[in-house]
């Protein structure tokens, strides 16, 4: 056994190409080696922006021999009526290099077929690798390819060298006009001299001698340690953004920090603006003091050391100054105008031709946010004036100069400008208007901010659905699933006391007033969006540990037997019902009452719900007491449940659990009713009265969750 190595040397690749390429490199290599029956103990990869490398450990010197059975025509076609081999049998034998009398008849898929058994001999590893390595290179896919030579071989960047070894031997092949060998490149920043790799085991060490840190983890640790030492010299700390660290590791082969000076005039800019310029545009690391405030320094990272560090630092400072001077220009210009002026310019920005401009969207968001705030009830402390101001200016910064230059600062700059105008209470809500930015990231801190953010997301969803921009399959170009999931998280985790059906009804009322498209059934579109929201909410509740059938059961309790929404629930109420259902479900008697519920449901579906009136006690049988006792218990339980399901107070899991446990007490009465009473009586009046009794029982049992949905 020997180790094997393939290094693809290229011109500078974008950093974002590297991680996906490494995953493919490992997967492809393992797949192709397995297909060639060439055993090894493992595969690992290395990469920089100038090389992609796969290292194969303990690769056998030969592939494993294999017996292979090849099946051909049905066995009845072996010979004809005269006893001669048929044309089909003769052709199958000739194709596989055997005489017809060597053909076998074997079973395949329940019938007999002609077959040939062949032995596939071992092959030397070098010969196999000369097929596998080119196939690996050819199989790599990148977001964009270049074609640079006559063979028109596509790759991320032009291939300049291929180092391919099995032990000390070169694996011979040619790809894209480049012949394999044992040469690679030392650190490009220092001239990129050639290195001759003697064997795979020495690859990493020889590159390190050429000042290239091939191992990603080693390179990252080298960067972090160097950044730490540099920040200590500056008596400060560096802001370590994980994405920037990873990108820097991929952009360098030997990262070397260079500390530079940030002119103090730039420190008057909002901190997020400065750090965005440094991190996003220049790939520099901001430097902070112990309080998290920006220091007049930055740390850039170059590839390798050299004697001209002072010139390099001067160059970095010049680039930084130019970029931050642009930021100063845009910021100062923006500050000359009130935020209302930027909001008015939203009339020039189209959201969608069917629902109007961003100014109309801004107005709808303001109205919807105030409606949500007004629906919160007296038990919720909410600054409605702060909601109004934040909602009014949430989109205003989209037309300002800074956001035009740095779009990732939308929301943040609006908050900064609002704070500067004296509206510090609403400023935080505007800064966090687009939260959560990802499925797991932070929500707006304040309830006011959550309400404004929710209003913006729901208006976006309603306007998009009304305009026909409905996600299908895996297609979601407007990220509406993320918007809906964010809205669901706000509704649940911020305890916003409105139901989705109420919220969408109001949102579509506002969108419809601005709608300027072809006629459509808005009720149907709203139902589509409600279903879309329910799917996101189901995922959210599943992540919190609830069973799928429990979630479906509680959601279904909002609708009558015809699918009409009759009992809108906030996500907070749904959560409390789920907690109660999950707890009570452990009681064996509850499972029994759930079974009875399904039986009652089936009877009502088949026979109707009575004549439409209530239960008439005078029609109860004088001989049988079961229906009278069931009704009496039902009335008692309804009275006990009323405080919890009337909607008068805040819903609690304890309250709903109490309701469910009251239901369990009905079990012996229900059992006796079904044992003693014939529901489908001959007398129609009696029959309808009994169906009416079962209907009341059904309505009672479905008041917390539709138990028919439980599995």
């Amino acid at each position: 056994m020997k180790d094997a190595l393939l290094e693809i040397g290229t011109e500078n690749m974008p950093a974002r190409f590297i991680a996906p390429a490494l995953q493919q490199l490992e997967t492809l290599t393992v797949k192709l080696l397995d297909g060639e029956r060439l055993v090894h103990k493992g595969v690992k990869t290395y990469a920089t922006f100038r090389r992609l490398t796969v290292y194969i450990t303990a690769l056998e010197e030969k592939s494993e021999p294999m017996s292979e059975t090849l099946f051909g025509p049905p066995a009845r076609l072996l010979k004809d009526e005269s006893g001669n081999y048929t044309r089909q049998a003769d052709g199958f034998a000739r194709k596989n290099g055997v005489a017809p009398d060597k053909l076998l008849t074997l079973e395949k898929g329940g019938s007999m077929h002609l077959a040939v058994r062949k032995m596939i001999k071992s092959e030397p590893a070098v010969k196999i690798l000369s097929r596998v390595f080119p196939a690996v290179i050819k199989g790599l896919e990148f977001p964009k390819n270049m074609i640079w030579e006559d063979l028109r071989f596509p790759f991320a960047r032009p291939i300049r060298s291929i180092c391919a070894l099995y032990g000390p031997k070169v694996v011979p092949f040619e790809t894209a006009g480049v012949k394999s060998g044992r040469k690679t490149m030392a650190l490009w920043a220092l001239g990129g001299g050639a290195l001759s790799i003697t064997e795979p085991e020495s690859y990493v060490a020889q590159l390190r001698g050429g000042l290239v840190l091939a191992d990603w983890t080693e390179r990252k640790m080298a960067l972090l340690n160097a950044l730490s030492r540099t920040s200590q010299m500056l008596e400060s700390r560096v802001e370590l953004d994980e994405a920037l660290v990873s990108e820097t590791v991929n952009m360098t082969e030997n990262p070397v920090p260079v500390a530079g000076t940030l002119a103090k005039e730039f420190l008057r800019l909002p901190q997020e603006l400065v750090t965005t310029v440094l991190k996003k545009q220049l790939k520099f690391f901001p430097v902070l003091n112990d309080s998290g405030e920006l220091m007049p320094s930055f740390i850039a990272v170059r590839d390798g050391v050299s004697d001209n560090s002072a010139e390099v630092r001067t160059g970095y400072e010049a680039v930084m100054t130019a970029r931050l001077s642009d930021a100063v220009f845009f910021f100062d210009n923006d500050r000359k105008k009130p935020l209302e002026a930027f909001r008015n310019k939203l009339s020039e920005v189209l959201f969608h031709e069917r629902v109007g401009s961003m100014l109309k969207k801004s107005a709808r968001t303001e109205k919807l946010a105030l409606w949500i705030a007004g629906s919160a009830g007296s038990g919720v402390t909410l600054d409605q004036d702060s909601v109004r101001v934040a909602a009014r200016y949430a989109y205003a910064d989209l037309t300002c100069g800074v956001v035009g230059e740095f779009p990732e600062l939308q929301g943040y700059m609006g908050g900064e400008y609002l704070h500067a105008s004296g509206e510090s209470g609403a400023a935080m809500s505007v800064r966090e208007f687009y939260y959560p930015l990802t499925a797991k990231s932070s929500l707006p801190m304040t309830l006011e901010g959550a309400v404004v953010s929710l209003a913006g997301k729901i208006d976006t969803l309603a306007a998009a659905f009304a305009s026909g921009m409905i996600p299908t399959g895996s297609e979601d170009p407007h990220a509406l699933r993320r918007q809906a999931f964010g809205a669901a998280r706000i509704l649940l985790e911020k305890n916003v006391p409105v139901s989705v059906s109420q919220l969408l009804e109001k949102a579509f009322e506002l969108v419809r007033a601005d709608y300027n498209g072809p006629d459509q059934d808005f009720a149907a579109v709203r139902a589509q969006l409600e279903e879309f929201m329910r799917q996101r909410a189901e995922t959210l509740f599943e992540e919190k540990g609830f069973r799928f059938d429990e979630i479906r059961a509680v959601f279904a309790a909002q609708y009558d037997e015809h699918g009409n929404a009759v009992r809108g629930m906030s996500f907070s109420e749904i959560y409390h019902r789920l907690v109660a259902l999950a707890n009570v479900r452990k009681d064996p008697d509850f499972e029994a009452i759930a079974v009875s519920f399904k039986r009652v449901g089936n009877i009502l579906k088949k026979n109707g719900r009575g004549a439409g009136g209530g239960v008439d006690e005078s029609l109860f049988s004088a001989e049988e007491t079961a229906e009278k006792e069931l009704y009496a218990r039902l009335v008692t339980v309804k009275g006990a449940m009323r405080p919890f399901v009337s909607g008068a107070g805040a819903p609690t899991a304890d309250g709903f659990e109490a309701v469910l446990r009251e239901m369990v007490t009905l079990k012996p009465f229900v059992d006796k009713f079904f044992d003693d009473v014939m529901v489908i009586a001959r007398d129609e009046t009696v029959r309808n009265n009994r169906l009416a009794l079962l209907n009341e029982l059904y309505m009672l049992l479905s008041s917390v969750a539709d138990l028919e949905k439980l599995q």
Side-chain angles (χ1 to χ4, degrees):
M1 291 185 293
K2 296 184 180 69
D3 291 352
L5 171 82
L6 169 66
E7 184 205 75
I8 312 161
T10 70
E11 294 188 6
N12 296 6
M13 282 184 292
R16 63 190 172 89
F17 285 14
I18 293 175
L22 286 184
Q23 291 178 352
Q24 296 177 57
L25 199 56
E26 181 172 342
T27 303
L28 270 174
T29 303
V30 171
K31 179 182 176 183
L32 291 170
L33 290 177
D34 289 348
E36 296 281 358
R37 309 176 316 285
L38 196 52
V39 177
H40 58 88
K41 288 190 175 177
V43 168
K44 56 185 174 183
T45 54
Y46 302 99
T48 72
F49 66 104
R50 293 186 62 83
R51 65 195 83 221
L52 297 171
T53 304
V54 60
Y55 190 103
I56 308 163
T57 306
L59 188 68
E60 291 286 354
E61 298 192 7
K62 293 182 178 179
S63 60
E64 293 183 329
M66 185 179 77
S67 173
E68 184 180 27
T69 301
L70 303 173
F71 288 92
R76 59 183 168 76
L77 296 177
L78 179 61
K79 293 183 178 179
D80 59 20
E81 294 176 350
S82 304
N84 299 317
Y85 290 107
T86 65
R87 184 167 52 83
Q88 292 87 345
D90 193 53
F92 177 63
R94 187 169 58 254
K95 176 183 175 184
N96 290 287
V98 298
D101 61 352
K102 300 297 183 185
L103 291 176
L104 306 172
T105 55
L106 299 174
E107 187 272 337
K108 179 189 176 186
S111 60
M112 300 304 289
H113 287 258
L114 300 181
V116 171
R117 282 211 177 95
K118 297 177 70 174
M119 285 299 297
I120 300 178
K121 297 180 181 178
S122 298
E123 283 188 280
V126 170
K127 185 176 180 181
I128 294 173
L129 289 175
S130 66
R131 296 195 299 269
V132 167
F133 281 166
V136 168
I137 298 173
K138 186 178 181 181
L140 294 177
E141 296 178 355
F142 300 93
K144 285 186 178 178
N145 282 325
M146 293 181 69
I147 294 174
W148 67 96
E149 40 82 53
D150 294 341
L151 297 173
R152 303 190 64 76
F153 184 87
F155 206 73
R157 289 294 182 271
I159 296 174
R160 296 307 182 202
S161 67
I162 297 175
C163 177
L165 299 174
Y166 177 63
K169 293 183 179 177
V170 170
V171 177
F173 66 94
E174 181 174 336
T175 295
V178 179
K179 291 183 178 179
S180 61
R182 61 177 70 250
K183 299 290 187 183
T184 185
M185 299 168 289
L187 186 68
W188 183 256
L190 298 182
L195 295 174
S196 181
I197 305 299
T198 54
E199 56 185 359
E201 288 89 336
S202 67
Y203 174 72
V204 173
Q206 284 190 261
L207 278 183
R208 193 180 292 119
L211 297 178
V212 174
L213 303 179
D215 184 85
W216 196 90
T217 304
E218 180 185 358
R219 206 158 64 245
K220 180 181 178 183
M221 289 309 301
L223 171 64
L224 294 178
N225 290 334
L227 287 172
S228 176
R229 288 193 299 272
T230 306
S231 62
Q232 287 174 13
M233 289 168 52
L234 296 170
E235 298 182 340
S236 56
R237 65 181 177 86
V238 65
E239 183 182 333
L240 290 177
D241 181 303
E242 186 57 37
L244 180 57
V245 168
S246 295
E247 188 174 5
T248 304
V249 172
N250 283 335
M251 286 165 46
T252 56
E253 297 194 311
N254 190 339
V256 176
V258 177
T261 301
L262 185 72
K264 290 187 178 179
E265 65 178 287
F266 299 130
L267 296 182
R268 69 180 177 85
L269 294 173
Q271 182 161 323
E272 192 72 17
L273 174 55
V274 177
T275 57
T276 296
V277 172
L278 292 179
K279 293 193 295 186
K280 303 292 184 183
Q281 295 198 333
L282 301 172
K283 314 301 178 189
F284 293 172
F285 289 87
V287 174
L288 310 175
N289 63 19
D290 291 339
S291 302
E293 297 165 339
L294 204 59
M295 297 284 287
S297 303
F298 66 87
I299 301 177
V301 178
R302 63 179 304 194
D303 199 16
V305 296
S306 69
D307 296 331
N308 58 343
S309 296
E311 288 82 355
V312 171
R313 179 183 300 106
T314 301
Y316 283 144
E317 289 175 347
V319 173
M320 178 273 301
T321 299
R323 296 304 302 169
L324 284 178
S325 295
D326 288 347
V328 168
F329 171 79
F330 289 117
F331 181 69
D332 286 346
N333 267 1
D334 288 347
R335 294 286 302 275
K336 294 175 183 174
K337 302 174 186 174
L339 209 51
E340 186 69 23
F342 293 117
R343 183 177 184 274
N344 291 335
K345 285 184 70 178
L346 290 173
S347 63
E348 302 168 11
V349 182
L350 184 65
F351 177 72
H352 192 281
E353 58 184 359
R354 293 185 182 178
V355 289
S357 67
M358 285 299 299
L359 183 60
K360 287 191 173 183
K361 176 170 174 51
S362 173
R364 291 195 303 268
T365 299
E366 183 180 349
K367 291 174 183 173
L368 188 57
L370 288 172
W371 178 86
I372 297 170
S375 304
S378 57
V380 178
T381 303
L382 193 67
D383 183 346
Q384 297 214 16
D385 190 53
S386 177
V387 169
R388 182 189 60 76
V389 174
R392 182 171 183 79
Y393 297 112
Y395 293 109
D397 65 357
L398 293 179
T399 63
C400 76
V402 170
V403 172
E405 187 71 6
F406 309 104
E408 57 270 54
L409 290 176
Q410 63 182 4
Y412 174 81
M413 291 310 302
E416 286 295 307
Y417 295 145
L418 205 55
H419 181 80
S421 68
E423 295 285 358
S424 56
M428 176 63 78
S429 298
V430 174
R431 285 194 192 101
E432 299 178 340
F433 177 64
Y434 296 97
Y435 286 15
L437 300 176
T438 64
K440 303 293 182 185
S441 63
S442 302
L443 297 179
M445 290 180 62
T446 65
L447 184 56
E448 290 81 1
V451 165
V452 177
S453 177
L454 175 65
K457 289 173 173 56
I458 293 296
D459 178 75
T460 298
L461 290 163
F465 271 62
S467 303
M469 298 187 294
I470 301 175
T472 56
S474 60
E475 298 293 322
D476 186 14
H478 305 287
L480 296 182
R481 290 190 179 92
R482 181 168 61 81
Q483 294 270 342
F485 195 77
R489 280 190 61 201
I490 291 173
L491 282 165
L492 176 61
E493 297 174 31
K494 288 295 183 180
N495 295 322
V496 180
V498 297
S499 70
V500 168
S501 57
Q502 294 169 317
L503 190 53
L504 296 186
E505 184 176 353
K506 183 63 181 179
F508 272 94
E509 174 191 320
L510 296 170
V511 167
R512 193 169 186 170
D514 289 337
Y515 183 73
N516 186 30
D519 291 341
Q520 63 174 320
D521 184 349
F522 275 91
V525 177
R526 196 185 78 188
Q528 275 185 288
L529 179 52
E530 190 163 348
E531 171 66 13
F532 186 76
M533 287 290 296
R534 185 186 61 76
Q535 291 171 3
R536 311 281 90 72
E538 285 180 353
T539 302
L540 189 57
F541 285 119
E542 278 191 284
E543 289 178 355
K544 294 189 177 298
F546 296 109
R547 289 173 48 171
F548 188 73
D549 60 338
E550 294 168 354
I551 298 168
R552 283 286 172 94
V554 172
F555 267 95
Q558 298 179 104
Y559 305 96
D560 64 14
E561 67 273 19
H562 305 297
N564 300 315
V566 293
R567 189 187 300 153
M569 299 180 199
S570 68
F571 279 4
S572 175
E573 180 175 342
I574 289 172
Y575 173 79
H576 289 302
R577 287 174 182 247
L578 282 169
V579 171
L581 181 59
N583 287 340
V584 179
R585 203 174 179 186
K586 299 166 188 169
D587 186 337
D589 282 347
F590 179 78
E591 288 296 331
I593 204 74
V595 171
S596 297
F597 177 84
K598 293 175 185 175
R599 183 179 180 182
V600 170
N602 289 335
I603 293 171
L604 294 176
K605 285 174 190 169
K606 188 174 180 182
N607 301 285
R609 295 171 181 263
V615 176
D616 184 349
E617 293 183 70
S618 67
L619 294 174
F620 288 159
S621 168
E623 295 78 21
E624 300 294 347
T625 60
E627 56 185 333
K628 184 182 296 182
E629 291 171 355
L630 173 60
Y631 183 67
R633 185 61 195 165
L634 193 151
V635 171
T636 302
V637 170
K638 281 176 71 175
M641 289 168 50
R642 191 167 294 115
F644 302 110
V645 295
S646 63
T652 65
D654 289 345
F656 290 122
E657 186 170 334
V659 169
L660 291 168
R661 294 201 182 282
E662 281 292 336
M663 291 181 186
V664 173
T665 66
L666 285 164
K667 178 181 179 297
F669 298 91
V670 174
D671 290 345
K672 187 177 180 186
F673 176 84
F674 282 123
D675 287 343
D676 298 349
V677 177
M678 176 69 74
V679 177
I680 311 303
R682 290 185 177 180
D683 185 314
E684 183 180 359
T685 305
V686 173
R687 181 169 68 239
N688 283 335
N689 196 51
R690 288 173 180 170
L691 289 171
L693 173 60
L694 289 182
N695 188 48
E696 284 208 21
L697 176 64
Y698 185 90
M699 298 302 292
L700 178 75
L701 294 179
S702 63
S703 58
V704 174
D706 183 351
L707 305 186
E708 282 194 271
K709 303 290 184 188
L710 296 181
Q711 298 174 354

